Amino acid sequence: MSSAASSDPENATFSSLLKSSGEIDDIAQQQQQPLLNGVLQEETYSVLATVFPFLFPALGGLLYGYDIGATSCATISIVSETLSGITWYDLNTIQIGLISSGSLYGALIGSALAFSVADFLGLYCCYCLHDTFTSCNPFFPSKKWLHISVGRRKELITAAVLYFVGALITGLSPDFAILVIGRLVYGLGIGLAMHAAPMYIAETAPSRIRGRLISLKEFFIVIGMVIGYTVGSLLVDTVSGWRYMYGASSPISVVMAIGVWWLPASPRWLLLCAIQGKGSLEELKAAAICCLCRLRGPAIGDTGPQQVDEMLTEISCACEEKEISIGEMLQGKYLKALFIGVGLVIFQQITGQPSVLYYAASILKSAGFSEASDSTRVSILLGVFKLIMTGTAVLVVDKLGRRPLLLGGVSGLAISLFLLGSYYKFLDNAPAVAVVALLLYVGCYQLSFGPIGWLMISEIFPLRMRGRGLSIAVVANFGANAIVTFAFSPLKSLIGAANVFFMFGGIAVLSLVFIYFIIPETKGLSLEEIEAKLL
């Protein structure tokens, strides 16, 4: 483990945040060194066993993406005199904005609530406790009930319920006020899901494929967007089609709730509960072994107890027994993790992502796609392109690493933003430039900030503050998203579209500096190794 000075938050200083690129690379080269016990344990797992612990939490991301895609079409349907099926269809721009951004503001509230409740939600879980710990099944007769705090799963179940209720309220809303309430409730689900899903996946996934699985969550968000665009395009000419667009997501939320309820708890979370005295050490350790056996499948063999012992030792060395206070979060390694995670997600948004994507239709309209049907088709094609680029990132993230994808992708973002600025300033007679720049932006974003932003914030926070730290990062993400989305139109009117995109390009260059000097490489490291070596 690193020196006492580096592991003691009282001795660490804010200046330690500013690592040089060389120091980061040196750390990355040492990633195969053992963390504590001198023996680097090879994680064994069955591929099939990793599917469901990823799939059900990732449905929360799919429902988030679906909302983005469906809303883009629902706002067309709901203002149509002939197709809306309502008498209050004559909505002004502010009301349309509330419909479009209602879930975003709900997500901001939900992620803020997660700060207070995420690490304290309790759930009765059933585990089988065998002496050999090699054949665990939650439905065996030999079992014991434990009351333990497993906030990750219960938070996801709560998110699924909010998704379901929000979709029904929105789809059945009799007036505008109820519609906005439904959008806010759905947004609460987004906030909780986007907080808990990456945390659960990170804590339960094998280290070798952790990056790929968390990046796949972004892939699911994009899949949801494509499904939303597709469903919306099919229903946009149907009377009351907007109701069906929003209601169509409710069955997926039911599958998510049932699936997450069936999943095992995070072994790391159970062991942290044991260290912090929230239950019997032996019972929680036995439950952690049982959960790990389910998460890794038959390939784990009889190594479950040994792996849990090692995990317990590493967590004990990395964590203190008491829960973290807000004061402690603002010093030492905890402050460093906040600086990395929050800084990355803020740059993810203030490089123009909400504006470029939300206003892609106007960019395409200026390029000649004037018909609403053309814009809808192009939105679907744009979503498919995002899907392809995100899939590429998923395939290479655990081979190339996080930093190369961030540095390369954000460089492309900067170029595309300067191209968009040049189009509006000098090249307005060359619409192909705008389309190329838009595709370059989307492709580079999905290779870098899109998946890697969520991946890094799920990895970088120490276990003791992971729930609260990730909540702060998600609040920062949605907050910056809301500010950029709200500010784009006024800024565009004030200084012109060209200067806005030039400004975003300048911010992208600053983000490159931040990534180069601040963001560490976490490829191949366990969560405990990240905490011990990089913070």
Side-chain angles (χ1 to χ4, degrees):
M1 192 173 176
S2 56
S3 64
S6 64
S7 61
D8 185 358
E10 298 294 335
N11 294 331
T13 63
F14 188 81
S15 61
S16 66
L17 293 168
L18 301 177
K19 288 183 180 287
S20 69
S21 178
E23 289 176 305
I24 292 173
D25 290 338
D26 288 343
I27 291 172
Q29 291 172 3
Q30 297 169 1
Q31 67 184 30
Q32 292 303 316
Q33 295 179 5
L35 175 59
L36 294 170
N37 55 17
V39 179
L40 185 66
Q41 293 296 326
E42 181 73 16
E43 285 184 290
T44 55
Y45 60 92
S46 302
V47 174
L48 288 178
T50 66
V51 172
F52 292 121
F54 158 78
L55 177 62
F56 293 124
L59 289 179
L62 185 144
L63 288 166
Y64 172 36
Y66 178 85
D67 183 71
I68 295 172
T71 297
S72 68
C73 298
T75 50
I76 298 173
S77 170
I78 201 169
V79 296
S80 171
E81 181 179 1
T82 56
L83 296 176
S84 63
I86 54 178
T87 57
W88 39 276
Y89 62 87
D90 189 18
L91 303 175
N92 58 41
T93 54
I94 294 177
Q95 291 173 315
I96 293 297
L98 284 174
I99 296 173
S100 300
S101 60
S103 62
L104 177 61
Y105 294 119
L108 186 60
I109 297 170
S111 53
L113 288 175
F115 178 87
S116 300
V117 305
D119 285 341
F120 303 102
L121 290 169
L123 182 65
Y124 281 98
C125 293
C126 181
Y127 300 98
C128 81
L129 304 177
H130 291 283
D131 292 335
T132 60
F133 300 106
T134 58
S135 176
C136 292
N137 186 311
F139 303 108
F140 280 3
S142 175
K143 58 192 176 187
K144 185 173 183 177
W145 288 92
L146 302 173
H147 186 261
I148 53 179
S149 181
V150 281
R152 282 51 160 156
R153 290 173 60 232
K154 190 166 187 181
E155 189 177 355
L156 283 167
I157 293 171
T158 304
V161 172
L162 289 169
Y163 275 140
F164 180 78
V165 173
L168 289 185
I169 292 176
T170 305
L172 299 174
S173 54
D175 54 45
F176 176 76
I178 301 299
L179 174 63
V180 173
I181 291 173
R183 301 292 292 137
L184 288 170
V185 172
Y186 194 95
L188 289 173
I190 293 174
L192 293 180
M194 300 311 289
H195 171 261
M199 190 159 50
Y200 181 86
I201 295 169
E203 291 183 359
T204 58
S207 299
R208 283 187 296 171
I209 60 171
R210 185 180 64 243
R212 188 172 300 171
L213 290 179
I214 298 174
S215 299
L216 266 175
K217 185 188 70 66
E218 172 71 15
F219 189 76
F220 267 58
I221 294 176
V222 180
I223 289 176
M225 291 174 63
V226 173
I227 295 174
Y229 288 135
T230 304
V231 171
S233 66
L234 293 174
L235 296 173
V236 73
D237 293 325
T238 303
V239 176
S240 298
W242 62 273
R243 295 187 185 276
Y244 302 118
M245 294 177 203
Y246 284 124
S249 65
S250 53
I252 302 176
S253 62
V254 174
V255 174
M256 176 184 169
I258 295 172
V260 173
W261 173 82
W262 172 80
L263 291 176
S266 161
R268 285 183 169 89
W269 176 244
L270 294 173
L271 295 177
L272 179 63
C273 289
I275 292 170
Q276 295 181 340
K278 295 180 179 178
S280 164
L281 173 61
E282 291 304 316
E283 289 181 341
L284 290 171
K285 184 179 172 183
I289 294 170
C290 194
C291 291
L292 189 65
C293 290
R294 287 186 61 193
L295 290 166
R296 297 293 181 265
I300 195 172
D302 58 357
T303 64
Q306 180 186 358
Q307 291 188 36
V308 167
D309 284 339
E310 293 172 357
M311 199 181 296
L312 181 61
T313 302
E314 293 172 355
I315 294 173
S316 299
C317 291
C319 299
E320 298 179 24
E321 291 185 2
K322 60 181 181 179
E323 292 177 351
I324 192 167
S325 65
I326 294 178
E328 288 176 295
M329 292 173 63
L330 300 178
Q331 56 186 307
K333 65 181 180 181
Y334 304 113
L335 176 61
K336 182 177 178 181
L338 278 174
F339 188 73
I340 292 170
V342 174
L344 187 61
V345 296
I346 288 178
F347 274 120
Q348 181 191 51
Q349 299 300 326
I350 65 174
T351 47
Q353 184 269 149
S355 300
V356 174
L357 295 183
Y358 292 164
Y359 291 88
S362 64
I363 293 173
L364 293 167
K365 183 178 180 180
S366 68
F369 298 96
S370 57
E371 296 295 329
S373 57
D374 289 341
S375 298
T376 302
R377 294 190 191 99
V378 171
S379 294
I380 295 174
L381 292 175
L382 202 59
V384 172
F385 179 63
K386 284 166 64 74
L387 203 60
I388 293 170
M389 299 308 295
T390 307
T392 303
V394 168
L395 292 175
V396 301
V397 65
D398 282 324
K399 296 177 182 178
L400 296 181
R402 285 63 161 157
R403 278 171 55 83
L405 287 177
L406 281 172
L407 290 170
V410 177
S411 297
L413 286 187
I415 294 171
S416 66
L417 287 165
F418 285 125
L419 277 175
L420 282 170
S422 299
Y423 165 72
Y424 281 104
K425 192 81 170 180
F426 314 111
L427 306 170
D428 55 347
N429 60 345
V433 172
V435 176
V436 169
L438 179 61
L439 292 176
L440 179 63
Y441 184 95
V442 170
C444 289
Y445 181 86
Q446 295 306 134
L447 282 174
S448 55
F449 274 144
I452 308 301
W454 290 105
L455 170 57
M456 288 298 300
I457 64 173
S458 67
E459 294 180 324
I460 201 65
F461 292 112
L463 180 60
R464 188 165 167 243
M465 70 167 293
R466 186 164 298 137
R468 290 188 166 189
L470 206 124
S471 175
I472 293 172
V474 175
V475 168
N477 180 282
F478 286 119
N481 186 312
I483 291 171
V484 173
T485 302
F486 178 80
F488 182 82
S489 290
L491 279 173
K492 185 179 176 183
S493 300
L494 184 65
I495 63 176
N499 290 326
V500 171
F501 285 117
F502 283 139
M503 179 185 71
F504 285 147
I507 295 173
V509 173
L510 289 178
S511 71
L512 276 173
V513 176
F514 177 82
I515 292 166
Y516 185 81
F517 287 105
I518 301 297
I519 302 299
E521 181 57 73
T522 58
K523 179 185 72 173
L525 296 174
S526 72
L527 297 179
E528 290 74 35
E529 286 174 311
I530 292 171
E531 181 173 350
K533 293 182 176 182
L534 304 183
L535 297 177

